[in-house]
Amino acid sequence: MPVKEPSATAPASPPASSQASPRRSDTTRTAILTAARERFAADGYERATIRAIARDARIDPSMVMRYYGSKEGLFAAVLDVDLRLPAPERLNRQDVGHALVQHFLDLWEENEVLTAVLRVGVTNHAGAERMQGIFRDQLLPIALHLCPDPEQAPVRAALTTAQLLGLALARYVLRFPPAVALPREEIVAWLAPTVQRYLTAPHP
């Protein structure tokens, strides 16, 4: 009896569920992080629970643990923020104040992640420490590159942070009406010279 040759058909496509899983995974992670930012900001770290976060995200609590392992892991993920600052050598020393204020306005207005993290930072000690680290580590290289005396770079980075976070707190978190109503170009006109002075002027 002749042996039937195997057909040369194309391999079967993976099930639709396996094709969709990466997209579902990203959607689930986004839902968890969004719910966690809101819950940590509202309740603080100690009172926020995995169960409450899962309820807000409309998923089972086991899914939160699956993706982040623990409340500590989830909190670290919530506070993991890249400020997307340009490389120091790409900044023009003459208009770095203008460039940085514009950059941060873009960050805060394009999405609410940084604002949500700031809200966590002002309600929680660990969140505040994390925010300090984010701005220190990501702004310090710019201050080191631009300021006249590298020994003053940490202070200059801190002063720059005070201006930028002060603006964010007043305009996007506390929402003081005059700060909210101020047009972008006026914000830049007010703040850019101050940031410029902090980073490039001689020590007073």
Side-chain angles (χ1 to χ4, degrees), residues 25-37 53-54 56-59 68:
S25 175
D26 290 344
T27 301
T28 301
R29 286 180 182 275
T30 298
I32 293 170
L33 288 176
T34 299
R37 289 187 190 103
I53 291 167
D56 294 343
R58 298 183 178 180
I59 60 171
Y68 296 101

Side-chain angles (χ1 to χ4, degrees), residues 32-112:
I32 293 170
L33 288 176
T34 299
R37 289 187 190 103
E38 295 299 321
R39 183 61 60 177
F40 284 132
D43 294 350
Y45 177 78
E46 296 299 332
R47 290 196 301 146
T49 65
I50 293 294
R51 187 175 298 277
I53 291 167
R55 184 175 63 247
D56 294 343
R58 298 183 178 180
I59 60 171
D60 190 90
S62 65
M63 294 297 291
V64 180
M65 303 303 289
R66 173 184 171 186
Y67 285 112
Y68 296 101
S70 64
K71 188 165 81 167
E72 291 84 355
L74 177 58
F75 191 65
V78 163
L79 298 178
D80 185 18
V81 175
D82 182 1
L83 300 177
R84 306 201 305 269
L85 293 170
E89 59 273 13
R90 295 181 58 190
L91 288 167
N92 187 329
R93 183 183 180 84
Q94 279 65 48
D95 67 354
V96 63
H98 184 277
L100 286 181
V101 175
Q102 288 275 25
H103 177 81
F104 277 95
L105 285 171
D106 288 341
L107 274 184
W108 283 308
E109 293 178 3
E110 284 175 3
N111 63 72
E112 297 183 350

